[in-house]
Amino acid sequence: MPLATGRQWHPAVGQVVRFGISGGLATLIYSAIYLALADFVLPSGLALAAVPPAFLVAAFCGFFLHRNWSFRGHVATDATGSQSFRFVVVQLFGLGLNTFLTWIVTAEMHLPNWMALIPVISLTPASTFLLQRNWVFGARG
């Protein structure tokens, strides 16, 4: 199916744009909390401990943004709570990925805390978009 037909775009294009905006906001929240904790609150060398609280707040905000805006019109009805469970599983995957990437950059490579945001911002959103679109908020048939 083409991305654009005449004047109408494929629904996935709108989802990617909305996901990018929502994800961008969640990423700003994550980055602000992570950097504040890693640079000013936690002892030096413990940037890894800043990942879970930053991720938790960003994921909470992201759930409502993605459910109600990013994937609007694509969200399957969920009376069983399985969608929430799937969202949590994807977020745990994202948390694990962010933690691993932060560990590699800060603990193994001994680079500044802010440099961990480069792979985190690059890899996690792409993988969670695909999982959320196809597994969490995907239409059930």
Side-chain angles (χ1 to χ4, degrees):
M1 180 178 274
L3 289 180
T5 55
R7 290 188 166 173
Q8 192 166 15
W9 287 93
H10 188 277
V13 173
Q15 288 173 352
V16 169
V17 170
R18 291 189 304 269
F19 184 87
I21 293 168
S22 298
L25 180 57
T27 299
L28 287 174
I29 292 167
Y30 173 86
S31 300
I33 294 170
Y34 165 78
L35 287 174
L37 291 174
D39 288 345
F40 302 112
V41 176
L42 297 168
S44 180
L46 290 179
L48 210 53
V51 174
F55 198 89
L56 181 66
V57 173
F60 181 79
C61 295
F63 176 78
F64 293 102
L65 285 168
H66 293 315
R67 186 180 196 303
N68 297 318
W69 190 54
S70 300
F71 296 106
R72 75 166 183 244
H74 189 76
V75 176
T77 304
D78 181 32
T80 65
S82 63
Q83 184 179 71
S84 298
F85 173 77
R86 290 189 305 271
F87 183 82
V88 168
V89 170
V90 170
Q91 294 312 304
L92 288 173
F93 167 77
L95 173 61
L97 185 57
N98 280 10
T99 302
F100 175 73
L101 294 169
T102 301
W103 172 71
I104 292 291
V105 171
T106 62
E108 293 298 308
M109 297 174 74
H110 305 289
L111 295 172
N113 295 332
W114 68 266
M115 290 200 67
L117 293 173
I118 296 169
V120 162
I121 291 170
S122 304
L123 300 174
T124 304
S127 24
T128 58
F129 171 79
L130 292 171
L131 288 168
Q132 287 184 34
R133 183 176 194 281
N134 296 313
W135 188 52
V136 177
F137 300 115
R140 302 281 174 248

